Amino acid sequence: MTEEQEVFLEHIQKKGLKRTAQRDLILDTFLRMEVHLSSEDLYRLVKQEDPSIGQTTVYRTLKLLTEAGLAREVRFGDGLTHYEHNYKHQHHDHMICSECGRIIEFFSAELEALQDKLAAKHHFQITQHLHRIIGLCAECRRAAREARKQETSAGTQNRQATARSRH
Amino acid sequence: MTEEQEVFLEHIQKKGLKRTAQRDLILDTFLRMEVHLSSEDLYRLVKQEDPSIGQTTVYRTLKLLTEAGLAREVRFGDGLTHYEHNYKHQHHDHMICSECGRIIEFFSAELEALQDKLAAKHHFQITQHLHRIIGLCAECRRAAREARKQETSAGTQNRQATARSRH
DNA sequence: CTCAATGCAAAGTATTTGCACGCTC
DNA sequence: GAGCGTGCAAATACTTTGCATTGAG
């Protein structure tokens, strides 16, 4: 019995809910994956193990895990709700490559501290935060550079620079 | 003719599109509002002026404004896409009160610089970023404190502390 | 034996798309 | 006049809800 499972059971009991095979399976599958999952992703995985399980149960269980503090909702702006671990996992934020979709996780104590300072200035009490940086990852930058080089050497006139607004 | 309108026209022309009364009206209405608007919000406003306008046109025009660099999409996690000004408006981020929904805009050069530093460390080229802090605003904190005081003075036993995980 | 949980289907929401007609350029 | 723009309705995509049945405590 892992610590997470204990946390889950405790939450279940405190709320007068029931332990079921489906919830156990969904939790285990969720715990096994170390990356962000959408409900859909998790549903597919869980279905491999128990094809009779319903999409709805996955949705409901993910909400439950979030309540229990085991998972945390993350929205990347693609319209899907993703979930990631939230129990004894150090908080981190994300850089998302708009070209290849790669997600880089990062953490900065300095950034967290600065954030606390900003919140204090506005007498704001932080519960949660979300920091998402979108751009090009190292690899896609290299690819873009190469493509540009090729084009130039091919003799075509230069197009407008590829710089974009930085927000 | 405001600068924004010129930017819009230029974009329209560059893409071989056409200027229409609807687009003008939507742009004007958008420019007049200084706060975040969802498509729905803007649709309602625009409809007051021209009841024959369609929801779809508002959606399409907002995409157009975003392309032209006049608007920027913001998702607050409520499932709606909001739009805010993006032309010659200093970039800012948001603190959102989970109690009353109030949105506090903030900007910190220090934070922006730190962010650039972190991106550089990962050889990441920033295009865009989103920083959202969720919690309680000053007013709702005060209200919560008062409520707690009342409860205590009423003689009921203390419940568990209201501290939440800070992520 | 009671009440919560499940799975299905249907409903909801937010947004996009197909299409016939209308209007810019 | 050619082709984009518009509004409507229908389609889509994700998530939630109603309900009868099943199952845990």
Side-chain angles (χ1 to χ4, degrees):
Chain A
M1 169 89 83
T2 68
E3 226 172 313
E4 282 92 347
Q5 288 168 328
E6 277 175 34
V7 170
F8 185 59
L9 279 183
E10 200 178 313
H11 180 77
I12 287 270
Q13 280 158 11
K14 197 160 57 195
K15 303 242 318 183
L17 307 178
K18 288 167 182 169
R19 183 182 187 175
T20 67
Q22 289 93 329
R23 283 175 177 174
D24 281 352
L25 175 58
I26 293 170
L27 174 58
D28 288 355
T29 309
F30 174 71
L31 291 175
R32 220 177 303 122
M33 303 304 293
E34 271 304 324
V35 295
H36 318 267
L37 290 169
S38 64
S39 324
E40 181 71 31
D41 293 336
L42 191 54
Y43 175 55
R44 264 198 298 270
L45 287 168
V46 157
K47 216 173 164 92
Q48 289 173 10
E49 199 99 3
D50 174 1
S52 74
I53 216 159
Q55 178 101 246
T56 316
T57 304
V58 176
Y59 274 110
R60 287 193 276 229
T61 305
L62 278 170
K63 287 241 174 290
L64 209 55
L65 295 183
T66 305
E67 271 176 38
L70 293 170
R72 138 172 124 107
E73 293 189 354
V74 202
R75 307 217 185 191
F76 290 120
D78 57 356
L80 293 184
T81 308
H82 293 249
Y83 290 85
E84 63 184 17
H85 290 198
N86 190 43
Y87 183 69
K88 291 203 174 167
H89 275 242
Q90 185 185 46
H91 163 72
H92 60 260
D93 291 301
H94 304 102
M95 298 186 194
I96 305 164
C97 178
S98 53
E99 196 63 27
C100 67
R102 177 181 319 211
I103 293 173
I104 299 166
E105 298 184 345
F106 70 93
F107 173 80
S108 156
E110 218 180 321
L111 194 140
E112 304 286 316
L114 182 50
Q115 197 169 246
D116 287 347
K117 209 178 83 184
L118 290 168
K121 200 166 85 183
H122 292 275
H123 307 288
F124 197 88
Q125 178 183 329
I126 301 183
T127 309
Q128 211 182 57
H129 83 99
L130 186 153
H131 196 158
R132 202 168 83 209
I133 295 177
I134 295 151
L136 289 181
C137 70
E139 212 164 297
C140 291
R141 285 174 77 181
R142 181 153 16 86
R145 253 195 316 275
E146 308 253 310
R148 213 151 46 231
K149 211 186 302 172
Q150 290 244 318
E151 192 177 307
T152 312
S153 67
T156 37
Q157 71 279 36
N158 276 333
R159 312 274 161 78
Q160 70 272 32
T162 47
R164 308 193 207 167
S165 75
R166 224 193 101 284
H167 252 128
Chain B
M1 170 92 82
T2 70
E3 225 172 313
E4 282 92 346
Q5 288 168 327
E6 276 175 34
V7 169
F8 185 57
L9 278 183
E10 200 178 314
H11 180 76
I12 286 271
Q13 280 158 11
K14 197 161 58 197
K15 304 242 317 185
L17 306 178
K18 286 166 184 167
R19 184 181 186 178
T20 67
Q22 288 93 329
R23 284 176 178 172
D24 280 352
L25 174 59
I26 294 170
L27 174 58
D28 287 355
T29 310
F30 174 71
L31 291 176
R32 219 177 304 123
M33 304 303 292
E34 268 306 322
V35 296
H36 318 269
L37 290 170
S38 64
S39 323
E40 180 69 30
D41 292 336
L42 191 53
Y43 174 54
R44 264 197 298 269
L45 287 168
V46 157
K47 219 176 161 86
Q48 288 173 10
E49 200 98 2
D50 173 4
S52 75
I53 215 158
Q55 179 102 246
T56 316
T57 304
V58 176
Y59 274 110
R60 289 193 273 227
T61 305
L62 277 170
K63 288 240 174 291
L64 208 55
L65 295 183
T66 305
E67 272 176 39
L70 293 171
R72 135 173 127 107
E73 291 190 355
V74 202
R75 307 217 184 193
F76 291 121
D78 57 357
L80 293 184
T81 307
H82 293 249
Y83 290 84
E84 62 184 18
H85 289 202
N86 190 43
Y87 182 71
K88 292 203 173 164
H89 275 241
Q90 184 184 47
H91 164 71
H92 59 260
D93 291 301
H94 304 101
M95 299 187 192
I96 304 165
C97 179
S98 52
E99 197 62 28
C100 67
R102 176 180 322 212
I103 293 173
I104 298 166
E105 300 184 346
F106 69 94
F107 172 80
S108 157
E110 220 179 319
L111 194 139
E112 304 287 317
L114 182 50
Q115 196 170 248
D116 287 347
K117 206 178 84 184
L118 290 167
K121 200 166 85 184
H122 292 274
H123 308 289
F124 197 88
Q125 177 184 330
I126 302 183
T127 309
Q128 206 181 63
H129 83 99
L130 185 153
H131 196 158
R132 200 167 83 207
I133 296 177
I134 295 152
L136 289 181
C137 70
E139 211 164 297
C140 291
R141 286 175 76 182
R142 181 153 18 87
R145 253 197 315 276
E146 307 253 310
R148 213 151 47 233
K149 212 185 300 169
Q150 291 244 316
E151 194 177 305
T152 314
S153 67
T156 38
Q157 71 278 36
N158 278 333
R159 310 279 161 74
Q160 69 271 31
T162 45
R164 307 192 208 166
S165 73
R166 224 194 103 284
H167 250 125

